[in-house]
Amino acid sequence: MTKAGKLQDSLNPENSPELTLRRRSGTLSVSAIRELSREIPGTDSDKRETALGLLLLWHDHWSEAHKIAQAHEGEADFDLLHGIGHRREADYSNSEFWFNEAGKHPVFEMLVTCATSLLKDEEELRRQLFPNGKWNPSGFVRAVKARPDHPVLRAIQAEEMLCFYEYLTQ
């Protein structure tokens, strides 16, 4: 298997991150992620660094991901990473602040396509997360705060992170 294959395999939706910072088995070490990150596609160094932060967060290395996001505050991609990280940390107001800073990020449009099918049996949740057919990151923060063990929300978070990774590496 190539390194790129290992990199893609490291984003396994079947072992997606918890909605909290609870550690999971089967995650990679920081050094393994840094090694694999050399194979992140694309030439934009900021997008590659954001992708590294996202990989670190996927594998439950919040502190390392946070350092990357914090070093680039004011840049939409890093602010989005910052928002996801603080939501997992259960610092919900800080999370909402960073989602606001990220603005109308292109990943939000991708999420409408990627995550809507996960809500086919969750009408009320779909209205909260996709009012007027648009992704509502604050609605998602509130949903996670109310139900941090909800399996559908965890699946949506995985889609959010996978869409973000796709956006960063296209």
Side-chain angles (χ1 to χ4, degrees), residues 87-106:
R87 187 184 62 223
R88 285 199 62 209
E89 183 196 22
D91 184 352
Y92 301 116
S93 61
N94 208 0
S95 174
E96 287 194 59
F97 172 83
W98 289 109
F99 282 123
N100 283 333
E101 291 296 300
K104 294 182 184 201
H105 199 282

Side-chain angles (χ1 to χ4, degrees), residues 31-140:
S31 60
I33 293 165
R34 289 192 183 280
E35 178 68 27
L36 283 176
S37 74
R38 295 180 187 157
E39 301 301 320
I40 294 172
T43 56
D44 182 305
S45 62
D46 281 348
K47 288 196 183 309
R48 290 171 54 88
E49 189 169 1
T50 309
L52 169 60
L54 190 62
L55 287 167
L56 289 162
L57 190 57
W58 182 280
H59 289 276
D60 302 330
H61 302 291
W62 184 88
S63 181
E64 291 82 357
H66 186 252
K67 286 176 190 171
I68 289 171
Q70 207 168 32
H72 299 276
E73 291 176 354
E75 297 176 42
D77 291 342
F78 292 100
D79 292 347
L80 180 55
L81 176 65
H82 217 155
I84 295 168
H86 280 296
R87 187 184 62 223
R88 285 199 62 209
E89 183 196 22
D91 184 352
Y92 301 116
S93 61
N94 208 0
S95 174
E96 287 194 59
F97 172 83
W98 289 109
F99 282 123
N100 283 333
E101 291 296 300
K104 294 182 184 201
H105 199 282
V107 169
F108 298 160
E109 290 179 31
M110 296 171 71
L111 269 169
V112 174
T113 304
C114 296
T116 301
S117 65
L118 296 169
L119 294 164
K120 64 182 179 215
D121 297 325
E122 300 273 353
E123 183 62 34
E124 183 179 328
L125 195 51
R126 185 170 58 243
R127 281 194 305 270
Q128 181 179 355
L129 303 184
F130 295 104
N132 304 314
K134 297 188 186 290
W135 176 246
N136 180 356
S138 292
F140 190 55

